[in-house]
Amino acid sequence: MRMLLVEDDPVLGQAVRDQSAADGHSVDWVKGVGDAQAAILSAPFELVLLDLMLPDGRGLDFLKARRAAGDVTPVIVLTARDQISDRIAALDAGADDYLVKPFDLFELSARIRAVGRRYAGNPNPLVVVADLEIDLAARSIRRAGRAVQLTRREWSLFEAFVQRPSQLMSKPQLEERLYSFDAEVESNTIEVYIGRLRRKLGAHIIETVRGMGYRLGAPEAHV
Amino acid sequence: MRMLLVEDDPVLGQAVRDQSAADGHSVDWVKGVGDAQAAILSAPFELVLLDLMLPDGRGLDFLKARRAAGDVTPVIVLTARDQISDRIAALDAGADDYLVKPFDLFELSARIRAVGRRYAGNPNPLVVVADLEIDLAARSIRRAGRAVQLTRREWSLFEAFVQRPSQLMSKPQLEERLYSFDAEVESNTIEVYIGRLRRKLGAHIIETVRGMGYRLGAPEAHV
DNA sequence: CGGAAACTGACAGCAAACTGAAAGATCGGC
DNA sequence: GCCGATCTTTCAGTTTGCTGTCAGTTTCCG
């Protein structure tokens, strides 16, 4: 597996590199966020090992930026911080797993195996619904060939439907998606956003199931 | 999300159930491996929360058995053991994540969300009855390939039949399901809804047993 | 054939959902 | 830092269609 290791500690970095090499992976090792950006642009990786505490910037911001750019490469976060809020922040920023230093190298191997298993053979899907072409990885939508721009909330909501087509989504479920567990909404935000999505994507795309929730019209194809 | 919680500690179990309910998930709670086997065979789940230390057997063996049987339902392991070798064993047995007790309920929420994100796109198991394909998790039904829309009450009633195929359901039983305990109906509501279901799903799907109740025609397969 | 049980179509009431507008929050450029 | 633009949330008024009920009819079985 082609992996990118972002880690400024030379001892730990070397150890991880050696262990992964022994597991049969090829590892590119950079020391900071800047180098990581460059490395990712120059070649694709199948997995990123990301230290959150880096000299030249915040690793979490790097992760968020990659996800915002539509990059779905699995990321395992390595960090010395073990506050629960840190873990939640990392997972919600799009991390696939979370390892607290000092960790055992064999455990790292196990986690890498798990991630690899998870992502085996998973190319970018293109979902087609009615006259929409949705690229989940790139976070882009075309309606009858024309690009449609969604705001952050709109996308976050719509993504929920596309990820599980024809799955009924209750309003609490959708709220949970927009507002991670803590925040409370005391109004009809979901209804408002459903309305906006319908205006942008077509009225028939999301159907209401009164008293239960909403669901995406059946998709036509998975390419 | 439809989740199965396998946990023998009543306090922790209740806490997890409450938190997950607040997150909008529906939780079936069993206390041991035996019940878990039965639950999984009777209805599909989208996620399993598995305690490794159970009175009636080793949770890890249960997990291995499910994976060996080809079950890919995501599993989050909950345990008091925190040896690194335990973690590796759990992950290699096919666990998707690993939480050490005592854990924060909010972290559990975050992990559940992460797993949900990760596995979006996997098809749900289907129950097939005559020309109907029923996806209990997605709350969707296809009749001869075409999507059929049920209202809240209609679904609630029909679900009762699908969950216990070929079992006779008396009218009082069904009323209790629709109107949990308190509210009383003083009319032929059940008959009306049976009629509506028949019109939407096909006349022969639900058969009348005069004086006794109703029953679903035997399902053909579990896919 | 008679009576009970089940079925059906119609309908009013009401909670759920929709919509447009406006206030509040966020982010960028200068 | 200030301002403008855009996105987000709230609110109130309107619309929608599900739900439970009833009356009339049909079916079943002794």
Side-chain angles (χ1 to χ4, degrees):
Chain A
M1 188 149 50
R2 264 186 63 76
M3 311 189 335
L4 175 64
L5 170 63
V6 190
E7 171 62 66
D8 63 312
D9 176 348
V11 176
L12 180 58
Q14 190 59 48
V16 169
R17 176 174 228 176
D18 290 349
Q19 174 71 30
S20 295
D23 288 341
H25 308 306
S26 84
V27 180
D28 280 19
W29 177 15
V30 299
K31 307 280 173 85
V33 166
D35 293 342
Q37 298 274 21
I40 278 187
L41 291 178
S42 71
F45 292 93
E46 295 169 83
L47 175 67
V48 176
L49 302 176
L50 176 65
D51 188 345
L52 284 194
M53 305 292 281
L54 293 165
D56 69 341
R58 303 203 19 95
L60 209 53
D61 293 335
F62 170 69
L63 173 54
K64 281 181 187 163
R66 294 308 306 158
R67 292 297 185 232
D71 185 349
V72 295
T73 310
V75 171
I76 296 179
V77 160
L78 316 173
T79 176
R81 310 187 61 177
D82 191 19
Q83 296 303 306
I84 283 163
S85 58
D86 294 330
R87 294 193 184 204
I88 295 176
L91 290 170
D92 274 348
D96 295 82
D97 214 330
Y98 190 101
L99 272 177
V100 178
K101 300 180 195 176
F103 51 82
D104 187 282
L105 287 173
F106 291 118
E107 175 164 13
L108 178 62
S109 292
R111 300 260 177 170
I112 290 173
R113 277 199 298 278
V115 168
R117 213 183 305 124
R118 195 177 292 160
Y119 280 86
N122 214 9
N124 279 8
L126 191 65
V127 182
V128 179
V129 183
D131 62 348
L132 300 178
E133 294 176 11
I134 303 129
D135 185 339
L136 282 172
R139 300 206 150 196
S140 70
I141 300 180
R142 295 185 162 273
R143 180 179 180 192
R146 314 184 74 86
V148 177
Q149 282 297 10
L150 295 190
T151 69
R152 188 156 42 98
R153 287 273 193 258
E154 286 166 357
W155 176 265
S156 173
L157 191 62
F158 187 57
E159 191 181 39
F161 290 100
V162 178
Q163 283 177 344
R164 276 190 175 271
S166 84
Q167 159 99 39
L168 183 91
M169 307 291 288
S170 74
K171 244 179 280 196
Q173 260 179 300
L174 295 169
E175 280 168 7
E176 140 78 8
R177 188 178 181 91
L178 291 193
Y179 317 98
S180 332
F181 67 86
D182 49 344
E184 286 308 315
V185 273
E186 294 296 333
S187 78
N188 61 344
T189 316
I190 299 295
E191 291 169 13
V192 173
Y193 274 100
I194 292 286
R196 298 213 175 115
L197 283 175
R198 283 178 177 150
R199 206 170 309 151
K200 284 191 178 181
L201 304 177
H204 56 294
I205 293 293
I206 296 173
E207 50 184 318
T208 303
V209 185
R210 191 165 251 253
M212 295 207 289
Y214 301 89
R215 109 166 76 229
L216 191 68
E220 290 173 1
H222 245 261
V223 182
Chain B
M1 188 148 53
R2 264 186 64 75
M3 313 191 330
L4 176 65
L5 169 63
V6 189
E7 170 63 63
D8 63 313
D9 176 351
V11 177
L12 180 59
Q14 190 59 47
V16 169
R17 175 175 230 181
D18 290 347
Q19 173 73 30
S20 296
D23 288 342
H25 308 306
S26 85
V27 180
D28 279 19
W29 178 15
V30 298
K31 306 278 172 83
V33 166
D35 294 342
Q37 299 274 20
I40 280 187
L41 291 178
S42 72
F45 293 94
E46 297 170 80
L47 174 66
V48 177
L49 303 176
L50 176 65
D51 189 344
L52 284 193
M53 306 292 281
L54 293 166
D56 70 339
R58 303 206 17 100
L60 209 54
D61 294 335
F62 169 70
L63 173 53
K64 282 181 188 163
R66 293 310 306 160
R67 293 295 186 234
D71 184 349
V72 294
T73 310
V75 172
I76 298 180
V77 160
L78 317 173
T79 179
R81 309 188 59 174
D82 191 18
Q83 298 301 309
I84 284 165
S85 58
D86 294 330
R87 295 193 184 207
I88 295 176
L91 291 171
D92 274 349
D96 295 81
D97 212 330
Y98 189 101
L99 271 177
V100 178
K101 300 181 196 176
F103 52 81
D104 187 283
L105 286 173
F106 292 128
E107 175 162 15
L108 178 62
S109 291
R111 299 263 177 166
I112 289 173
R113 255 178 279 125
V115 167
R117 233 181 284 125
R118 184 181 298 162
Y119 279 84
N122 276 5
N124 293 325
L126 297 179
V127 180
V128 179
V129 182
D131 62 348
L132 299 179
E133 295 175 10
I134 303 133
D135 184 335
L136 284 172
R139 303 201 152 194
S140 71
I141 300 180
R142 298 185 158 272
R143 179 181 179 190
R146 313 185 75 86
V148 178
Q149 277 297 13
L150 296 190
T151 69
R152 183 158 50 106
R153 287 280 194 262
E154 287 165 359
W155 175 266
S156 172
L157 190 62
F158 188 57
E159 192 183 37
F161 288 102
V162 177
Q163 284 176 346
R164 295 167 199 73
S166 78
Q167 177 174 332
L168 184 78
M169 307 288 288
S170 75
K171 247 179 279 194
Q173 261 181 303
L174 294 169
E175 277 170 10
E176 188 171 310
R177 180 177 181 96
L178 288 198
Y179 315 99
S180 26
F181 312 112
D182 46 342
E184 284 311 312
V185 276
E186 293 297 332
S187 77
N188 63 342
T189 317
I190 298 297
E191 290 170 13
V192 172
Y193 274 101
I194 292 286
R196 288 180 183 155
L197 282 176
R198 282 179 178 149
R199 199 172 316 150
K200 285 190 178 181
L201 303 177
H204 56 294
I205 293 294
I206 297 173
E207 54 180 317
T208 303
V209 185
R210 192 161 245 256
M212 310 273 290
Y214 300 89
R215 144 171 45 230
L216 187 70
E220 290 173 1
H222 245 262
V223 181

